Amino acid sequence: GLLLRSPGFALVEGGGLKLGDAAEAASRVSPTSSYNKYWLDLSLDPLNHDNHLRHTADLAHSHLLHLAEASGAGADTLFAIPGNFNAQQLSILLGVARHSPWQAVGLVDSALAAAATVVTASDSRQNDYIHLDLQLHQVLATRLEWQEGQLQVARVAQIPGVGRENLIATLLQAANDAFIQQCRFNPQHSAEHEQALYNELKAWLAGQGQDVETLVLELRTSTATHTAKVPRSQLTSLLRRHYQKVSEQIAALDSARSAQLLLAEPLALLPDLTAGLADRAEVKTISESAALDGALRYRQAIERGNGALE
């Protein structure tokens, strides 16, 4: 089963390093000390910050150590990797893994592994598929095609600017404007209030309270409680501008409109996205742990079989 979910956040604090949920929970409080692109931009390029971190690979290594400690696991490991990782990034990942409890014995494309949980070679229709996954700073679209009886990755497209952090930033501005207009109170004057709004909007995007017509946001100060109301229709209208980029990329990957869409669960939970995509193609939601399940199901085909990868 899924032992641990840990977002790609790191926070330098008091000479130490917070990672995962703890780092995300303070990312708006200490934005200049917060990092959340180190997996996306994994490299050995020097960081221009005076915080004793050499490069993003240092943060990735620290995150792997954190995962081992927090989960109590660590051994021969299959890595399900997003298809946007280039050869250099894969090499860096294997390098940092060798210095962690996670010894890589196999690599697999995460979209292919996820699709393998719902697609088999006996599928009578032999459909092509487009797998869509929500990352922090982009949506990743992967076209999967049948070739000689095997499902293979045909194309990978990054859709920047529509990741979870981009969506939250758009909603944050709308929420901030609502507080100013309705309460004459500016949450952006306080990092703690901005963090509180971030937390609420992140939960809303994950499906909590999306069925209500009006999102009620509340912030407390030492002297007052401020309440702002934002119509759901306003929020979804703002999000649809981002969704349009996803639809355009799907059209570019599937001009014949023949592929079935496979949506990773965090993406499928976004308000009104699935309904909009269903007008174009058949949509199937797959679980958040599908890539892990698929990797384990086909582990014998993925494992190198002769120890850790180099």
Side-chain angles (χ1 to χ4, degrees):
L2 184 62
L3 296 180
L4 179 69
R5 181 190 299 106
S6 183
F9 279 80
L11 182 71
V12 179
E13 185 177 74
L17 192 64
K18 288 184 176 180
L19 291 146
D21 290 321
E24 184 179 13
S27 59
R28 295 279 168 167
V29 176
S30 304
T32 59
S33 301
S34 178
Y35 299 86
N36 58 28
K37 289 187 175 182
Y38 55 92
W39 285 114
L40 178 66
D41 298 333
L42 184 63
S43 77
L44 298 176
D45 295 337
L47 288 173
N48 297 319
H49 298 282
D50 184 23
N51 52 23
H52 308 296
L53 295 170
R54 296 173 300 171
H55 36 60
T56 55
D58 278 347
L59 290 169
H61 178 246
S62 295
H63 203 161
L64 290 182
L65 296 180
H66 166 73
L67 289 171
E69 180 180 0
S71 67
D76 288 352
T77 306
L78 304 178
F79 280 88
I81 308 295
N84 58 282
F85 268 48
N86 58 39
Q88 182 182 24
Q89 289 177 317
L90 289 174
S91 177
I92 292 171
L93 172 62
L94 292 176
V96 297
R98 281 196 298 271
H99 298 282
S100 80
W102 309 99
Q103 297 303 304
V105 296
L107 299 177
V108 63
D109 184 285
S110 56
L112 183 61
T117 64
V118 295
V119 177
T120 66
S122 61
D123 184 346
S124 60
R125 292 178 297 173
Q126 296 283 286
N127 282 337
D128 292 336
Y129 300 87
I130 296 177
H131 178 275
L132 297 165
D133 196 12
L134 180 67
Q135 299 180 356
L136 289 179
H137 302 284
Q138 65 180 9
V139 167
L140 190 67
T142 304
R143 183 178 176 91
L144 304 162
E145 298 179 353
W146 289 101
Q147 299 177 16
E148 299 180 356
Q150 293 185 333
L151 193 64
Q152 300 184 19
V153 175
R155 290 179 59 190
V156 177
Q158 295 171 266
I159 314 174
V162 292
R164 196 196 69 181
E165 288 299 285
N166 308 110
L167 302 182
I168 293 177
T170 296
L171 300 182
L172 270 173
Q173 187 57 57
N176 192 73
D177 292 344
F179 273 101
I180 293 174
Q181 294 168 6
Q182 298 174 26
C183 311
R184 298 197 177 189
F185 172 73
N186 190 343
Q188 290 184 332
H189 289 167
S190 165
E192 287 75 14
H193 290 147
E194 187 173 345
Q195 183 72 57
L197 281 181
Y198 173 94
N199 295 341
E200 285 202 49
L201 294 170
K202 181 184 75 168
W204 187 77
L205 282 178
Q208 298 181 25
Q210 286 183 15
D211 54 338
V212 299
E213 290 301 315
T214 302
L215 181 62
V216 180
L217 301 168
E218 184 177 279
L219 292 175
R220 297 181 180 181
T221 68
S222 58
T223 58
T225 297
H226 304 279
T227 302
K229 299 179 179 180
V230 187
R232 183 185 188 279
S233 58
Q234 179 186 350
L235 297 177
T236 55
S237 176
L238 292 171
L239 292 176
R240 276 194 288 272
R241 302 174 190 174
H242 295 284
Y243 297 168
Q244 182 60 31
K245 296 180 182 179
V246 178
S247 296
E248 290 170 357
Q249 186 59 68
I250 292 172
L253 289 173
D254 184 35
S255 57
R257 302 173 69 96
S258 60
Q260 182 180 3
L261 302 182
L262 303 177
L263 266 63
E265 187 175 9
L267 192 65
L269 287 173
L270 297 180
D272 294 357
L273 174 64
T274 301
L277 296 179
D279 291 338
R280 188 186 193 285
E282 182 181 354
V283 178
K284 184 177 183 63
T285 299
I286 55 179
S287 73
E288 184 177 8
S289 64
L292 310 180
D293 299 336
L296 289 174
R297 181 181 299 181
Y298 294 97
R299 62 183 302 172
Q300 290 185 339
I302 298 168
E303 284 184 359
R304 187 70 167 268
N306 57 351
L309 298 176
E310 297 295 332

